[in-house]
Amino acid sequence: MRTTVGIIGAGPAGLLLARLLHNAGIDSVVLESRDRAYVEQRQRAGILEQGTVDVLREAGVAERMDREGLPHDGIELRFDKRRHRVDFPALTGGRSVMVYAQTEVCKDLIALQLAEGGPLLFEAEALAVEGAETESPSVRFRHEGREDVLDCDYVVACDGSWGVGRKAVPADVSQVFERTYPFGWLGILADVAPSHDELIYARHDRGFALLSMRSPSVSRAYLQVPEGTNADDWSDEEIWDELDSRLETSDGWKLERGPITSKSVTPMRSYVHEPMRHGRLFLAGDAAHIVPPTGAKGLNLAVGDVVTFARALTHRHETGSTELLDAYSQTCLRRVWQAERFSYAMTTMLHRAPDATPFDDRIQRARLDRITASRAAESDLAEGYTGFPLD
C-alpha cells in the first residue's frame, strides 16, 4: 500500500487529521489496532474548547455536535462551602466551551471517513515505523492475520503514550519531562440528570471533586482518590455520599443521585516528549504529551497538533516550502507547555496532596480567593480553560 500520509491511531486526533487532509485534497490511510466498536465506546474527554468547536465546524463534522452538544458559558468553583461562577464570554471576548463526548466526536468522524475519505483499517496493528529519516518512511503493520507495509511520504503517530510512533524516535534525540501525581480520579457515569447546568470544580479538605455531564440525562462525576485505588472498592452509596460532602454549599444546593452505570480510576500524570518530530515522523496527541484531566486539555491539545500538521502540509503542497513542517515541533510545543502550565495550576490548586500541610491548605485557599476577587486572575483562568490559540 502507498499513501501520502500514514496515520497511526483512529482516536479523535488521527480521524480529524484524515478529515482535514481529505478536505485539502491530500490522501491518507488510517491504521487502528482496535475494532470500530471499541473506538466508538471508549470513554475519554468531554469538553471541547472554542478552537476545537470551530475546527470541527470548518471541517464539516459538526452537524450532530451543534444539535446534541451542550454549550457552556462558564464553570463554578467551590471551596469552604462557597460558590463562585466564572463567566467565560464576559472574560474572554465571547469564547465558551462545548460538552460533547469524545466517543461522539469519533463516531461522527468515522462515519464521514468511511463515506468520503481514504482507507480506515480497524484491527490493523502498527508494528513499527521504519525509515523515518528518509524521504520514504513506512509503517509495518498486521491486518487480517498477515503483515503488510504502508509506504508514505509522512507518518503521523496518533497512537498514544505506549504506541510505536514515539518508540521510533531515537533515545539520543529525545527529551522527556514528566510529573506523576500521588492521586487519581474515580470517575462515574450515572443515569441521572445533572444537578447543575455547568461544571462544578470543588476544592475540599477531603480531596477534589468534579461534577460534569454527558447529556441532559447522564451525569459524569469524579472524586480524587489515592494512587492505586481500585474502583470496585467503592460502593455506589459511598461514592454519592462522598460527592455530597465535597460539593456541599452553605445555601442548601442538592446533589441528585441515580444508578451508576460505570466507574473507573484514571491516574494523574503530566508528560511531554521533545521533539515532536523526527525526520518525516510527526507525533501528535498523547504520543507526545499527557496532561492531568483537571484542565480539560488532552483532546484539545491533540486537535491543535493535527491542525498544525494539516496546515503545514497544505502549505508545502501549495508553495513547495517546508518552512511550516520544519517548525511543527516548536509551534506545537509552545501551546503544549501553556496547556501543561494551566493543567498543573488547576490540579495543584484544587487537589489536596497526601502530605499537605496547613500552609499548603492556606495557599490553595488564597489562590481561589484571588480568582474570586481579581478580574485579571479570573480572566487568566477563563482564557486558559476556553483554549489557547491554534495559530
Side-chain angles (χ1 to χ4, degrees), residues 51-91:
T52 297
V53 170
D54 293 342
V55 166
L56 292 174
R57 287 173 177 158
E58 292 167 8
V61 68
E63 180 182 354
R64 194 162 68 93
M65 177 193 73
D66 284 332
R67 186 174 67 249
E68 300 178 9
L70 305 174
H72 277 210
D73 286 338
I75 59 172
E76 183 171 290
L77 298 177
R78 291 189 182 180
F79 62 105
D80 297 336
K81 299 185 181 181
R82 296 159 54 191
R83 307 171 67 171
H84 177 80
R85 182 175 184 268
V86 180
D87 186 331
F88 293 156
L91 296 163

Side-chain angles (χ1 to χ4, degrees), residues 76 88 101 151 157 209 252 257 263 282 387:
E76 183 171 290
F88 293 156
D151 295 311
R257 302 186 178 206
K263 53 187 173 182
F282 296 76

